Amino acid sequence: MAEYTGYAHSDPKADAAALHKAFKGAGTDEDVVIAILAHRSKQQIEQIDHEYRIQSSNGTSLQHALEKELSGSFRELAVGLATPVIEFKKRALKDAVEGLGTRESTVIDVVTQSSNDELREISKDADLYKKVLSDVSGDFKTVVVTLFRGERPHGPTSQAQAEELAQAFYKAGEGKIGTDEKKYITIIANNSHEALQQVDEVYKHKHKHGLIKAIESETSGDLKYSLISLLKTKEEHFADRLHGAISGLGTDERVLIYVFSIFDKAALHRIGEIYKAKHKESLKDAIKGDTSFNFKKLLMAILE
């Protein structure tokens, strides 16, 4: 997978005209859709959408056209690529909490791997925010509420603070009978990834294993998964999510659609490097063997 620092220059008017032509008449020229969407940034696609509306007799948006002309997972990914990241994350959250049951894994993807600004923006949608909170409970809800405040700090901490946090984490779990889950949440959800890496190093030095092993032994369910996710970089988290989606019987195409819709080529390259290092197979080969038809072609084109 070649590394990308950006996207080639494109002509949004020409792209919009090519897409109109691809949708015209009986059938759709999916190859044109793939050739354009796979190699344009979110900003470029936004410009294409603007031109597409101008060239449409009734002001139809590119998203609407893709929804009408395509089908299945291919359509969902194409629409995801044409959707601004915040809007896409809100839509994913809404889908996760609507109907019977909740897809907590999607909630974890959004709340643990979004920036403070994104989380504050998402929480401005009062109906969605209320729905998410009504669908989660217990200590996991505490994690969600804490992260939605959008106040998680950035950057490293002092060595003294890292040692203090490591000791507090031990006393809250492995150093006592029972677990103080609230203390775990306070430490993990209110410190930066960089600071937690420092805490993890101190913890390993003193207890011969890191925070993740402690969390795995002391917690369970959605609380466990959310706390572990907060200890990972975005790239590591989603490399693991992609592996879980692809390995085993069947493929969770929702995860592929989510990841490929929110990250640009450069980020996907970094995720692919972690994927290969951890799982001894390239992300491209893993996806190639588990997807098919135009959905597969679009994924492969994005990874070119």
Side-chain angles (χ1 to χ4, degrees):
M1 192 175 2
E3 184 170 6
Y4 286 81
T5 55
Y7 291 78
H9 173 74
S10 63
D11 181 346
K13 286 185 179 179
D15 284 344
L19 287 167
H20 271 290
K21 184 178 179 181
F23 297 147
K24 193 173 183 180
T28 300
D29 189 340
E30 290 92 352
D31 288 341
V32 171
V33 176
I34 292 168
I36 292 173
L37 294 186
H39 303 293
R40 304 292 184 269
S41 67
K42 289 282 187 184
Q43 184 178 10
Q44 288 172 324
I45 293 175
E46 187 176 340
Q47 294 168 345
I48 295 169
D49 176 58
H50 176 73
E51 294 297 334
Y52 193 93
R53 291 169 189 256
I54 292 173
Q55 295 176 22
S56 300
S57 58
N58 56 356
T60 299
S61 70
L62 177 58
Q63 277 190 45
H64 181 78
L66 292 168
E67 288 171 349
K68 179 183 176 183
E69 296 291 336
L70 309 179
S71 62
S73 295
F74 176 49
R75 175 178 63 192
E76 297 306 312
L77 177 55
V79 171
L81 292 170
T83 304
V85 172
I86 286 290
E87 183 184 333
F88 184 83
K89 288 186 175 185
K90 288 169 68 174
R91 189 180 299 170
L93 268 182
K94 185 177 180 182
D95 290 343
V97 297
E98 280 190 338
L100 294 174
T102 303
R103 245 185 358 264
E104 288 85 355
S105 59
T106 300
V107 177
I108 291 171
D109 285 341
V110 175
V111 300
T112 68
Q113 303 302 326
S114 295
S115 68
N116 287 337
D117 287 344
E118 287 176 326
L119 289 167
R120 285 194 292 265
E121 185 64 30
I122 292 169
S123 67
K124 288 178 183 177
D125 186 330
D127 290 340
L128 176 59
Y129 180 68
K130 183 178 179 181
K131 178 62 177 169
V132 171
L133 294 192
S134 70
D135 270 40
V136 295
S137 60
D139 292 318
F140 178 49
K141 183 173 184 177
T142 303
V143 174
V144 173
V145 170
T146 301
L147 294 173
F148 261 128
R149 294 186 188 125
E151 297 174 352
R152 198 178 183 207
H154 299 283
T157 188
S158 67
Q159 184 62 24
Q161 177 69 358
E163 291 178 2
E164 183 180 321
L165 289 171
Q167 180 65 6
F169 199 85
Y170 179 73
K171 286 184 176 180
E174 293 183 307
K176 66 189 290 286
I177 297 174
T179 307
D180 184 347
E181 289 88 354
K182 294 291 190 292
K183 190 67 174 177
Y184 267 25
I185 294 167
T186 298
I187 292 171
I188 300 295
N190 290 289
N191 283 283
S192 68
H193 178 263
E194 296 89 344
L196 292 172
Q197 290 300 106
Q198 294 173 264
V199 175
D200 188 56
E201 287 301 315
V202 174
Y203 203 93
K204 283 177 182 175
H205 180 72
K206 289 187 175 182
H207 307 294
K208 311 306 178 189
H209 62 261
L211 299 179
I212 288 180
K213 186 172 180 180
I215 291 168
E216 287 175 338
S217 67
E218 295 290 323
T219 64
S220 62
D222 298 319
L223 173 63
K224 177 179 74 174
Y225 294 122
S226 60
L227 294 180
I228 290 174
S229 295
L230 288 166
L231 291 172
K232 298 177 180 179
T233 63
K234 284 183 185 180
E235 291 82 3
E236 185 180 3
H237 171 81
F238 284 109
D240 290 343
R241 287 284 282 137
L242 286 169
H243 184 256
I246 295 167
S247 62
L249 294 174
T251 302
D252 188 345
E253 295 182 344
R254 270 194 300 256
V255 176
L256 274 71
I257 292 165
Y258 184 86
V259 175
F260 278 71
S261 294
I262 66 171
F263 288 112
D264 62 16
K265 285 178 180 283
L268 289 169
H269 175 84
R270 295 192 296 272
I271 290 169
E273 287 181 327
I274 293 171
Y275 189 99
K276 187 169 186 178
K278 293 186 74 171
H279 306 295
K280 312 308 177 188
E281 181 184 26
S282 75
L283 179 58
K284 194 168 187 178
D285 285 345
I287 290 174
K288 187 186 299 182
D290 257 52
T291 55
S292 58
F293 305 115
N294 285 318
F295 181 52
K296 173 180 177 178
K297 288 172 68 175
L298 180 52
L299 290 166
M300 292 297 100
I302 294 169
L303 291 175
E304 286 176 358

